[in-house]
């Protein structure tokens, strides 16, 4: 599954370092070329020989070593070679250094030099994890599209039963496989995805919204990126971690979403509109509505139709437009009508029970009227099925 992929595994000075030995052997079993880079503190907890034996490659512990396996300037050569940099366990210290662009050892230097996606599995004492400085550093890294797996709750080395345990090697492996295990069939393609639900202001403190969580859109963005696409993800009010290697462009209202979509649509080979966009906005929205008004009447006016507006743009040659239809009755019939009226190439039909759930039951409908009814599946799997259908267009 990971044949031909190079994974750099950074191991830092956390007590969970011993678990990374399992991760190395599982990665090797799946065919990955694994290079372990250890911090000096990590070598006090686990011997480099363990990782050297399991990975079959020299272990990098010293930035100034004269030569490592014939690699010229090893830290840069390795950084360039990597398809993914995983740091597990990742200490508060390394999180802090990466957040501030510091590079005082082999691992942090490689982390700065590598342009490959980065997946970090933090592990530390619960109070260290809750520390404001650590949380601020995490936020900085999340803003750089660095992805985190864990920490999880459970028994900590200090005896507390709390948050801070490193995610299990199997969970980390699943993330790695999700990222590297797919094909590269979208390489060279630019895919624009919208996600989440727009908010329309009633007044400066209140809004009209919908239940969209953004999970489907985020799953689509992550799957497309994992399959080699360049992804623009436009997210309306989504409260979830950014997908690996993607920095969402955040918007609030339908009008804002329209603006950002229009700015980016020209370069897209496929535009997948998974966001739930409010059909209406409040007309003459003014200062805060007072409670003692007794009764208020909200006058609503239609928002611009984003898909229809994009459909009218010329766009890139061969561009495909994919929409979602959420209907409470006559789902397939209404979805087909929407596809026709809006000039879509493909439509994904689903019911309201999909909101916020990890799994969904959807139908994928093409212009020829062919309906592919999928069983209830995780959204990550649905995302890949939709991308398969896009490739068949
Ligand atoms: C036994 C032991 C276990 C430790 N476990 C952790 C840990 O899980 N997470 C963490 O952030 N720091 C942990 N520390 C503290 C780090 O080792 C320390 O901050 C060190 O400077 C980290 O260096 P590094 O980030 O370069 O590996 C531990 C220290 C000791 C002595």
């Amino acid at each position: 599954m990971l044949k031909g992929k190079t994974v750099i595994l950074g191991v830092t000075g956390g007590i969970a370092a011993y678990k990374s030995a399992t991760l190395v052997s599982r990665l090797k079993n799946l065919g990955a070329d694994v290079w372990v880079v250890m911090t000096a503190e990590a070598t006090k907890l686990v011997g480099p020989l363990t990782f050297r034996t399991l990975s079959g490659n020299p272990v990098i512990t010293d930035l100034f070593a004269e030569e490592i396996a014939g690699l010229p300037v090893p830290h840069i050569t390795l950084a360039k070679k990597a398809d993914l940099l995983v740091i597990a366990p990742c200490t508060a210290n390394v999180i802090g250094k990466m957040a501030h662009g510091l590079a005082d050892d082999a691992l942090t230097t490689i982390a700065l030099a590598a342009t490959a996606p980065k997946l970090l599995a933090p592990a530390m004492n619960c109070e260290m994890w809750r520390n404001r400085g650590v949380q601020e550093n995490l936020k900085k890294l999340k803003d750089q599209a660095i992805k985190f797996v864990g920490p999880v709750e459970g028994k900590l080395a200090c005896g507390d039963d709390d948050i801070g345990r490193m995610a299990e090697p199997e969970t980390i492996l699943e993330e790695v496989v999700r990222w590297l295990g797919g094909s590269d069939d979208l390489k060279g393609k630019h895919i624009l995805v919208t996600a989440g639900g727009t908010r329309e202001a009633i007044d400066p403190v209140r809004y009209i919204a919908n239940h969209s969580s953004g999970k489907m859109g985020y799953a689509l963005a992550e799957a497309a990126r994992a399959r080699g696409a360049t992804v623009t993800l436009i997210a309306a009010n989504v409260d979830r971690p950014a997908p690996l290697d993607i920095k969402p462009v955040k918007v609030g209202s339908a009008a804002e979403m329209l603006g950002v979509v229009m700015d980016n649509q020209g370069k897209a080979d496929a535009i997948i509109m998974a966001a739930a966009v409010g059909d209406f906005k409040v007309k003459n929205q003014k200062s805060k509505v007072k409670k003692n008004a007794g009764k208020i009447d909200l006058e609503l006016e239609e928002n611009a139709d984003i898909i229809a507006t994009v459909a009218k743009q010329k766009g890139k040659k061969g561009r495909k437009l994919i929409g979602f239809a959420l209907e409470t009755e006559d789902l397939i019939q209404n979805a087909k009508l929407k596809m026709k009226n809006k000039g879509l190439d493909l439509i994904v039909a689903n019911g309201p029970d999909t909101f916020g759930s990890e799994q969904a039951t959807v139908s994928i409908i093409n212009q020829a009227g062919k309906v592919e009814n999928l069983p209830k599946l995780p959204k990550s799997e649905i995302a890949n099925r939709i991308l398969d259908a896009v490739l068949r267009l």
Side-chain angles (χ1 to χ4, degrees):
M1 233 190 256
L2 300 179
K3 221 176 157 63
K5 304 290 182 186
T6 301
V7 176
I8 298 182
L9 175 64
V11 181
T12 69
I15 201 72
Y18 74 96
K19 291 190 183 174
S20 302
T22 308
L23 188 56
V24 175
S25 62
R26 297 285 287 113
L27 288 167
K28 283 293 289 179
N29 287 346
L30 293 180
D33 183 22
V34 185
W35 290 78
V36 177
V37 185
M38 299 179 79
T39 64
E41 307 301 359
T43 63
K44 294 178 188 162
L45 296 162
V46 187
L49 189 57
T50 304
F51 291 111
R52 186 194 166 94
T53 309
L54 292 171
S55 71
N57 281 323
V59 172
I60 292 104
T61 53
D62 179 6
L63 184 59
F64 288 90
E66 291 234 326
E67 191 204 286
I68 294 162
L71 300 176
V73 201
H75 63 283
I76 300 296
T77 315
L78 262 188
K80 283 189 178 156
K81 220 167 122 77
D83 292 299
L84 185 69
L85 169 66
V86 182
I87 306 184
C90 190
T91 53
N93 181 48
V94 165
I95 288 170
K97 284 194 213 170
M98 286 176 67
H100 291 87
L102 300 177
D104 65 353
D105 61 9
L107 178 59
T108 45
T109 308
I110 289 171
L112 285 197
T115 55
K118 300 172 187 84
L119 178 66
L120 271 45
M124 65 197 72
N125 162 271
C126 48
E127 297 308 339
M128 288 174 78
W129 174 252
R130 284 193 273 266
N131 176 277
R132 202 164 136 201
V134 172
Q135 287 300 320
E136 281 170 7
N137 290 336
L138 284 166
K139 191 174 172 310
K140 284 200 176 94
L141 293 181
K142 283 181 184 169
D143 284 346
Q144 293 173 32
I146 290 176
K147 183 149 182 186
F148 290 84
V149 50
V152 294
E153 284 186 16
K155 199 91 184 147
L156 303 176
C158 57
D160 290 344
D161 208 339
D162 207 328
I163 183 96
R165 272 174 76 87
M166 185 175 87
E168 288 305 318
E170 279 305 319
T171 314
I172 301 170
L173 193 73
E174 272 170 31
E175 287 288 336
V176 174
V177 169
R178 189 128 60 101
W179 180 254
L180 293 178
S183 62
D184 270 347
D185 54 359
L186 290 172
K187 212 179 171 106
K189 301 283 181 208
H190 191 125
I191 300 202
L192 187 156
V193 180
T194 67
T198 58
R199 287 179 185 170
E200 305 304 328
I202 294 172
D203 63 23
V205 292
R206 304 178 180 94
Y207 55 80
I208 301 172
N210 59 65
H211 290 293
S212 177
S213 63
K215 277 183 195 160
M216 192 65 243
Y218 271 43
L220 277 160
E222 185 157 75
R225 183 70 194 94
R227 288 166 70 158
T230 303
V231 174
T232 301
L233 173 61
I234 303 171
N237 312 300
V238 179
D239 183 21
R240 49 188 303 108
L244 186 56
D245 208 31
I246 297 174
K247 193 168 182 324
V249 185
K250 297 190 174 164
V251 296
S253 66
E256 276 172 42
M257 180 169 273
L258 174 66
V260 181
V261 169
M262 292 307 281
D263 287 348
N264 289 280
Q265 61 88 27
K267 56 192 176 194
D269 295 286
I271 300 178
I272 309 180
M273 303 280 200
V277 180
D279 290 329
F280 298 96
K281 65 178 175 196
V282 177
K283 200 172 174 184
N284 304 323
Q285 168 235 329
K286 292 193 206 83
S287 54
K288 188 178 170 217
V289 179
K290 291 276 182 254
K291 188 180 177 210
N292 59 13
K295 164 180 176 286
I296 58 162
D297 290 313
L298 291 181
E299 195 183 343
L300 303 180
E301 62 183 343
E302 268 196 18
N303 269 323
D305 185 328
I306 301 180
I307 301 186
T309 311
V310 171
K312 285 192 199 119
Q313 306 295 312
K314 201 161 160 277
K316 209 166 166 180
K317 194 164 177 274
R319 177 196 66 188
K320 304 295 176 206
L321 274 185
I322 299 93
F324 275 71
L326 190 146
E327 303 284 348
T328 48
E329 48 208 40
D330 297 332
L331 180 60
I332 302 296
Q333 211 178 325
N334 280 324
K336 281 183 176 173
L337 200 64
K338 182 172 176 182
M339 174 162 57
K340 187 163 174 277
N341 290 345
K342 303 211 172 187
L344 303 177
D345 298 288
L346 198 76
I347 196 155
V348 183
N350 54 186
D353 55 342
T354 181
F355 272 143
S357 65
E358 293 300 330
Q359 301 198 323
T361 311
V362 309
S363 300
I364 304 173
I365 310 169
N366 70 13
Q367 266 192 348
K370 185 171 170 274
V371 181
E372 188 186 351
N373 292 315
L374 300 184
K376 192 168 192 176
L377 291 170
K379 286 182 174 168
S380 54
E381 178 61 29
I382 294 174
N384 276 305
R385 301 286 192 100
I386 294 170
L387 294 172
D388 292 344
V390 173
L391 276 172
R392 287 197 297 271
L393 287 171

